[in-house]
Amino acid sequence: MRSALFKRFTVLTAVLVFGIANSAAAITLKKEADRKKAPDFELKDSDGRVVRLSEYAGRVVLLDFWATWCAPCKKSMPWFNDLSEKYQAAGLTVLGVSIDSDGWDAVRPFLDKMRIAYPILLATQRVTYLYGDVDAVPLAIFIDRNQRVAAIHPGEASRKDFENTIRALLDAPVAAPVGPSR
């Protein structure tokens, strides 16, 4: 019993220290050559509509993994509303992906309370696996216009860092497709 409590305490301490350490860290964009294709997915939104990442080709996507019980997640949601509205016409899409185990029963009332304006999706085990076994939130994944992972930021970040990263991705040229010409 004591060892189980000690293990939980150690894990919780590590998560808190990691979160605090990362809260001050700026978001670093990967070099073009190091960017990998973002895994496509099919997730349902609150209306039951299937949403695919591939629908957003040509747009910058901020994929935000979050949960209703996550305090830093709640803190960043109002900025995501603002950033989504401010940069939507320039090519930004914000997609929130809830990892709440209680599903829409927990998420819908939370969305109403928080007045989230961007699309919220419910994660599946497969999607959390494809994006690195997501089990800690917040986790922000920045996807460039070519549907490649341009940056990953675990933990809390500042609105300024998010906005700077989004602007850099929006301002970057779209790469020409690689492959045989027809």
Side-chain angles (χ1 to χ4, degrees):
M1 174 83 169
R2 275 181 67 168
S3 65
L5 288 174
F6 179 75
K7 186 176 179 181
R8 285 185 184 149
F9 176 76
T10 304
V11 169
L12 179 60
T13 302
V15 167
L16 288 173
V17 169
F18 181 76
I20 291 168
N22 275 309
S23 66
I27 300 167
T28 305
L29 287 175
K30 295 179 180 188
K31 294 176 186 171
E32 288 283 332
D34 295 336
R35 295 181 186 179
K36 304 280 190 251
K37 182 90 170 135
D40 199 7
F41 56 73
E42 292 184 0
L43 296 174
K44 291 189 177 183
D45 67 11
S46 60
D47 295 326
R49 184 178 78 89
V50 174
V51 175
R52 294 171 185 82
L53 179 63
S54 57
E55 294 171 1
Y56 299 98
R59 297 185 64 79
V60 169
V61 177
L62 168 54
L63 195 59
D64 174 48
F65 286 91
W66 66 279
T68 57
W69 43 262
C70 168
C73 299
K74 292 176 194 176
K75 179 180 170 186
S76 61
M77 288 176 148
W79 332 326
F80 293 163
N81 270 340
D82 294 344
L83 294 170
S84 177
E85 184 178 330
K86 182 175 181 178
Y87 294 106
Q88 183 174 16
L92 174 67
T93 297
V94 177
L95 296 174
V97 183
S98 170
I99 66 165
D100 279 272
S101 58
D102 291 338
W104 290 117
D105 290 341
V107 174
R108 276 191 188 98
F110 179 84
L111 296 178
D112 291 341
K113 179 180 171 188
M114 294 293 291
R115 297 183 180 190
I116 304 303
Y118 53 90
I120 297 295
L121 313 171
L122 197 57
T124 62
Q125 190 172 11
R126 175 166 168 65
V127 168
T128 57
Y129 170 77
L130 289 173
Y131 281 89
D133 285 330
V134 177
D135 61 357
V137 289
L139 176 66
I141 299 178
F142 295 85
I143 299 169
D144 68 19
R145 292 180 188 270
N146 298 305
Q147 299 241 296
R148 299 172 303 164
V149 176
I152 300 171
H153 187 78
E156 199 172 349
S158 73
R159 177 186 173 133
K160 179 182 174 186
D161 287 339
F162 272 79
E163 189 160 11
N164 288 342
T165 303
I166 289 165
R167 288 177 50 186
L169 289 170
L170 289 170
D171 292 344
V174 178
V178 177
S181 58
R182 295 188 182 213

